[in-house]
Amino acid sequence: MLVVYGMINQAVKDLVCHQAGEDTWLEVCREAGVDPEGFEALTPYPDSLTFKLVEIAAKKLNHAPDQLLRSFGRHWVFYTGEHGYGEVMRMFGKDFRSCLANLNRMHAHMGALMPQLRPPRFVVRESSATSMTVDYFSERQGLGPIVLGLLEGLAEKYHETIAVEFLPKKAPAGHDSFVVSFS
């Protein structure tokens, strides 16, 4: 069984509360059958619970699930910086490109704290002086929109102006790719 750590669910809560208020989060939790305060950052939870929270939150916010996942990706960058993980991010990148190049190392570092972590893998290739390609490999299906939001959030954090072309995988065994162009 794949798991996510509670910090992900806490960030989903934070996103919902920022966009629609705590009452909406309470409704999401009621429909999902979970305690609204019940997520411990370093405790594993089933992926299915997180997907359920996202599905219900998307309906409550009148968003398509992919739209909510993209918003979550952007939100995650700033949420982690504000909630004690900013130093870890700084250790692995002082600018946009170095941060992307070190994503796998950062996940490996976090794995020491989270033994059940099954992070994605990224392959970053410089395509030209003004573009790069980021390949995203994951056991989880359908999370490409989060990566799109992460790229946008990281660009904002590092004061980069980018455009991203999202190339979803074509086959179940494939991977998503993102072509990042710099202005």
Side-chain angles (χ1 to χ4, degrees), residues 147-163:
V147 178
L148 178 57
L150 285 168
L151 292 168
E152 293 168 340
L154 286 170
E156 185 179 334
K157 174 183 172 46
Y158 290 112
H159 309 290
E160 291 278 357
T161 302
I162 64 168

Side-chain angles (χ1 to χ4, degrees), residues 5 7 17 23 27 37 40-41 53 99 115 134-135 149 165 167:
Y5 280 82
M7 62 193 287
C17 289
D23 288 343
E27 291 174 22
E37 298 299 326
E40 297 293 327
L53 291 171
C99 184
V134 178
D135 295 322
E165 180 183 4
L167 306 169

